[in-house]
Amino acid sequence: MTDRTALVCGAGLMGHGIAQVLAGAGYQVRLYEPEQSRAEAGRDRIAGNLQRSVDKGRITADERTEQLSRLSVETDLARAATGIEVAIEAVFEDEAVKRDLFALLDASAPAEAILASNTSSISITRLATSTRPERRPRVVGVHFFSPVPVMPLIELIRGAETSDETEAAIRALAGDVGKQVIVSRDRPGFIVNRILMPFLGEAMRAYDEGLGTAEDIDAGAKLGLNHPMGPLELADFIGLDVCLHIMEVLHEGFGVQHFAPPPVLRQLVDAGHLGQKSGRGFHTYPRS
Ligand code: CAA
């Protein structure tokens, strides 16, 4: 990486974490949200995370100040994209929203800038078509995992036109932020969600048919399989609306019943029970 100025679009769960790890790796990071209050909320979250790292003795107070000084919040996308080397979008998982954003980024970012999407399931090849043909070799999927500062993986998705140079640049960025790369072809759900979602879906169906309590299903995976979280609490952690969307993409993409979202998941989402973020999903939060 030459310039090391990165733009992160979206300051939510994934965006703030991506901005944090980039700032921690020495990048000048612009954190974009159209609303100032949301952009500042993202920065405040990063400041809070870094304070916990100071309290645990992992970084010094000066390092926290230095990392925060590399982070600016932006509400004007055209200005935020000026002179960047890479943009990573982590906005709402809606293809139309992401396409609009990519078109705007394409118009404002330098010709050599890489436009990356943190999408968990939307086709990179299709997203790339919202940019001009000469940009498409520089469009790529860069899928982080939550919590971003903790999870050591980046899933790199090559669209039909993604170049080897772009893959190499993203591998370098992953090295900078201390993450390991796996490369996936551009298929629904890529590698990780292709594996994960049927597992979560089966746990939901088992719960729905009364096979065991939510606590016992989760304990089964934690104690019997050594998973850090059970499948129902992991679904709550990811967000049940997010899980539903990914399962719909997989189901539509492959046309196989095995990927169909379980009715209980739809019911919870319809009722506004989205998991941890809404206080209720398969479990209630905060957990006792
Ligand atoms: N942000 C930053 N750091 C966090 C964090 C967060 N939200 N949550 C936990 N951490 C850190 C803690 O500060 C702690 O750090 P230290 O080691 O420096 O003290 C460390 O993680 C461990 O945390 P805790 O001791 O509090 O809790 P834990 O041991 O139970 O771990 C967990 C929490 C890391 C979330 C663990 O339960 C876990 O790994 N769960 C599975 C997460 C997972 O599978 N994520 C992928 C989801 S799929 C996805 O993201 C992609 C998609 O497309 C759906």
Side-chain angles (χ1 to χ4, degrees):
M1 296 270 159
T2 49
D3 174 317
R4 295 171 66 90
T5 296
L7 166 62
V8 179
C9 300
L13 178 70
M14 299 306 288
H16 92 275
I18 296 168
Q20 180 180 328
V21 296
L22 287 168
Y27 285 71
Q28 297 293 329
V29 182
R30 300 174 188 163
L31 184 57
Y32 165 78
E33 274 281 353
E35 277 175 42
Q36 183 79 18
S37 60
R38 290 172 67 94
E40 281 172 6
R43 184 172 55 188
D44 290 349
R45 241 166 136 173
I46 295 170
N49 289 345
L50 293 177
Q51 186 55 49
R52 276 197 299 283
S53 294
V54 173
D55 296 343
K56 286 178 182 168
R58 292 187 184 262
I59 59 171
T60 65
D62 284 350
E63 284 167 337
R64 173 180 180 272
T65 305
E66 195 200 332
Q67 290 183 28
L68 287 173
S69 75
R70 287 199 282 272
L71 189 74
S72 64
V73 298
E74 304 282 345
T75 55
D76 179 333
L77 188 63
R79 202 185 67 173
T82 309
I84 58 162
E85 185 182 355
V86 59
I88 302 177
E89 73 76 17
V91 302
F92 186 63
E93 196 72 356
D94 176 307
E95 187 165 337
V97 173
K98 289 183 191 284
R99 289 183 70 86
D100 287 351
L101 185 75
F102 263 55
L104 289 168
L105 286 172
D106 185 32
S108 307
E112 65 280 8
I114 291 173
L115 305 187
S117 174
N118 178 58
T119 181
S120 49
S121 56
I122 296 171
S123 163
I124 298 303
T125 304
R126 278 207 310 274
L127 284 180
T129 61
S130 52
T131 66
R132 289 164 294 161
E134 53 274 30
R135 175 78 65 183
R136 294 177 194 170
R138 294 182 188 80
V139 175
V140 62
V142 179
H143 185 206
F144 287 81
F145 294 81
S146 176
V148 176
V150 179
M151 302 300 283
L153 182 69
I154 285 177
E155 194 173 29
L156 189 160
I157 301 100
R158 289 188 67 137
E161 296 183 53
T162 306
S163 68
D164 292 345
E165 291 73 21
T166 297
E167 177 176 333
I170 295 300
R171 283 185 179 279
L173 180 147
D176 291 342
V177 299
K179 308 281 187 205
Q180 186 170 327
V181 171
I182 58 172
V183 179
S184 173
R185 289 175 64 196
D186 190 15
R187 295 284 184 277
F190 314 132
I191 293 175
V192 176
N193 282 321
R194 169 89 173 260
I195 299 168
L196 176 64
M197 289 300 152
F199 170 60
L200 300 190
E202 201 50 41
M204 292 172 192
R205 279 185 275 272
Y207 166 79
D208 198 31
E209 74 188 40
L211 183 66
T213 62
E215 285 69 22
D216 280 353
I217 291 170
D218 281 340
K222 278 195 284 197
L223 305 179
L225 302 171
N226 213 14
H227 289 194
M229 282 179 167
L232 300 177
E233 61 177 338
L234 179 57
D236 281 351
F237 175 72
I238 291 168
L240 299 187
D241 51 340
V242 176
C243 291
L244 177 59
H245 179 262
I246 299 170
M247 288 182 194
E248 283 172 343
V249 169
L250 281 161
H251 188 219
E252 197 185 308
F254 291 108
V256 177
Q257 192 58 21
H258 159 73
F259 290 115
V264 64
L265 176 62
R266 267 189 210 289
Q267 280 159 9
L268 284 166
V269 172
D270 286 346
H273 301 317
L274 307 180
Q276 266 189 28
K277 62 188 166 191
S278 73
R280 186 170 158 192
F282 288 96
H283 299 278
T284 49
Y285 300 86
R287 305 230 3 220
S288 49

